[in-house]
Structures are given as structure tokens and as C-alpha cells.
């Protein structure tokens, strides 16, 4: 119960859960939960907004900066509570009136930092959406997937992966890339998962040419700043991804998003 109450604190403020969590079993083929969070109905997800209106992002730097700021502010709040969201994607970022809020904590786990009841809680109950997960998670998912790309034995595949803020940094970088280009970095299905070929590509990810993939309309002054931010968030090396923000795995990693918010991307007046 103490662990569940600790998670209740996470939904205060910027972090919200539309639905239930604290899964305890299955009845009639459906999961049962010990705790539900009731919240106002969101207007639309970032996924829906991006598909409907190009004006929301792409060449609208004010919107990109504002939405990205809300995203990293929400993650900073959650990480300071000692939690990793684990499934950051446009579908899990919802507009409530004039603010964007994070939803869906089904994959959330405690980060491996000192001072919490369970250090580095293991993944396993539910897999993150593979189209937005970090390469280190993609490797675990790929190892337990079949030729059709569907996972078999997800619990076994992810049980050896300890939750890290680095996972959320990568996923947030993927969302920012989507906002700038109106296109995901890799082809995704309706469930935000990758096919077997693309899942393997992500699992073996090394580097790519960010500049050639970015929407090239209003980027004359902001391109270098954007490339710098994305190259740090989308570093395929877990340790390096944290090191870019002056943190390491463990006690200090919960401060990473605070450092991200201090990046020049959020200060550049040209946007």
C-alpha cells in the first residue's frame, strides 16, 4: 500500500493517469487494479493534433518550444518523485484546456536511485511502445519477439532491465523529432509499435544524420540548437545520454530533465 500511495503522489501536479494502475491480477480476461485515478477528459492527444494540423508544429517554433517545455517539465516532476514513465509518446501527451499533461503510467517504474523503497524496480508487467522506446529496451524486446514482430515472453525479456531516466530522455527526443518533422523517426503501426525489421534497426541503432531528416523551412537560426538537443537526447549509448546532462545512472539521474530545460533550445529568442 505504501508503494501505491507513493505513486499517487506522482499524479499530483503535472503527471496524470487516465485509467488505473497497481495491477494485481486478471478477471474475465481483463486486468484488475487496486487503484484508479479519475481525471477530466482531455481535449485531444498530441498524436491527434500533429496529424490534423501542420500549423501546430513543424514551422511553428513557439508551439514546438511550448509543448516540449511542458513535456520535460512533466518528466522533471515525475523523475524527482523517483519514477520513470517508460512509455513517452505523442498519444500519451494530452491537451487539457491550455496545458499539455502526461497520461498513462501502465509502464511506469521506480528509477534506480538511492532513498526509495525499491531500488531499480524491474520492467515486466507491460512492455513500452517499441516505436518510441530507447535502443537498450528495443534490444530486450527484439530478443523476445517472433518473425511477426509480436512479443513473446515480454516479462522474461524485460526483467533484466532496470528503469532509468535515460529511457524517458530518448522517448522525449523521439516526440520532439516528430513535432519538428510531423513524421516519426521509424515507421510505426497504429499501436505505436515497430515491425520486426525496424525493431531490429532500433536495437542496433548507432547514429543517423539528424540535419537531413529535419524539416527545413524555418531552421536557419535554430537548426544548430535543435540538432544539438536532439543529438544528446537520441544518443544510442545509455551512459552517454545521461552524461550529456551532467548526470550518471543512480542517485543523480533524476535531475537530467532539469538540465534539459536549461538547454539553449528553450532560450533561443529566434523561435
Amino acid at each position: 500500500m505504501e508503494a501505491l500511495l507513493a505513486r499517487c503522489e506522482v499524479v499530483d501536479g503535472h503527471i496524470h493517469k487516465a485509467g488505473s494502475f497497481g495491477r494485481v491480477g486478471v478477471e474475465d480476461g481483463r486486468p484488475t487494479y487496486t487503484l484508479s485515478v479519475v481525471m477530466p477528459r482531455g481535449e485531444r492527444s498530441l498524436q491527434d493534433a500533429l496529424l490534423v494540423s501542420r500549423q501546430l508544429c513543424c514551422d511553428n517554433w513557439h508551439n514546438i518550444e511550448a509543448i516540449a517545455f511542458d513535456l520535460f517539465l512533466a518528466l522533471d516532476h515525475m523523475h524527482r518523485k523517483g519514477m520513470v514513465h517508460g512509455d513517452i509518446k505523442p498519444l500519451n501527451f494530452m491537451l487539457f484546456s491550455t496545458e499539455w499533461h502526461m497520461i498513462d503510467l501502465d509502464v511506469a517504474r521506480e528509477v534506480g536511485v538511492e532513498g526509495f523503497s525499491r531500488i531499480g524496480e524491474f520492467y515486466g508487467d507491460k512492455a513500452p511502445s517499441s516505436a518510441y522506446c530507447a535502443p537498450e529496451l528495443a534490444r530486450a524486446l527484439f530478443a523476445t519477439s517472433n518473425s511477426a514482430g509480436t512479443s513473446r515472453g515480454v516479462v522474461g525479456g524485460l526483467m533484466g532491465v532496470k528503469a532509468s531516466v535515460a529511457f524517458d530522455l530518448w522517448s522525449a527526443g523521439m516526440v520532439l523529432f516528430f513535432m519538428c518533422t510531423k513524421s516519426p523517426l521509424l515507421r510505426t503501426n497504429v499501436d505505436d509499435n515497430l515491425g520486426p525489421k525496424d525493431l531490429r534497426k532500433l536495437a542496433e541503432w548507432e547514429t543517423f544524420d539528424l540535419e537531413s531528416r529535419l524539416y527545413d523551412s524555418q531552421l536557419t537560426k535554430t537548426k544548430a540548437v535543435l540538432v544539438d538537443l536532439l543529438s544528446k537526447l537520441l544518443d544510442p549509448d545509455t551512459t552517454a545520454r545521461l552524461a550529456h546532462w551532467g548526470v550518471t545512472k543512480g542517485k543523480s539521474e533524476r535531475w537530467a530533465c532539469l538540465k534539459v530545460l536549461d538547454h539553449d533550445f528553450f532560450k533561443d529568442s529566434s523561435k
Side-chain angles (χ1 to χ4, degrees), residues 39-49 56 67 70 90-103:
M39 57 185 294
R41 182 182 178 88
E43 295 178 24
R44 60 177 176 174
S45 70
L46 180 58
Q47 173 89 356
D48 293 335
L56 179 73
I67 296 171
D70 279 353
L91 197 60
N92 285 342
F93 211 48
M94 295 287 296
L95 181 64
F96 291 82
S97 184
T98 59
E99 294 182 338
W100 292 89
H101 292 233
M102 193 181 301
I103 66 168

Side-chain angles (χ1 to χ4, degrees), residues 61 64-65 68-69 72 169 172-173 176 180 210 222-235 241 244-245 259-266 271:
W61 288 105
I64 292 175
E65 180 183 11
F69 186 87
F72 284 104
L169 292 177
L176 178 57
C180 294
L210 272 169
T222 62
K223 195 168 189 176
V225 175
L226 177 60
V227 169
D228 181 73
L229 175 58
L230 283 174
S231 65
K232 292 174 178 176
L233 295 171
L234 298 179
D235 192 316
R241 198 180 313 138
H244 289 309
W245 311 107
K259 304 289 185 67
V260 174
L261 289 168
D262 198 40
H263 189 274
D264 286 344
F265 176 80
F266 297 104
K271 295 194 293 300

Side-chain angles (χ1 to χ4, degrees), residues 50 54 57-59 61 64 173-186 208 210-216 219 226 230:
L50 287 171
R54 191 178 191 92
C57 291
C58 294
D59 55 354
W61 288 105
I64 292 175
M174 295 284 273
V175 172
L176 178 57
F177 181 89
F178 194 167
M179 285 195 291
C180 294
T181 64
K182 207 183 178 184
S183 174
L185 189 59
L186 295 168
F208 72 110
L210 272 169
E211 295 193 42
S212 66
R213 291 288 306 272
L214 290 174
Y215 183 71
D216 201 14
L219 294 177
L226 177 60
L230 283 174

Side-chain angles (χ1 to χ4, degrees), residues 13-28:
H14 294 285
I15 309 302
H16 295 276
K17 172 68 179 77
S20 309
F21 56 96
R23 180 172 175 173
V24 294
V26 176
E27 291 182 4
D28 298 325

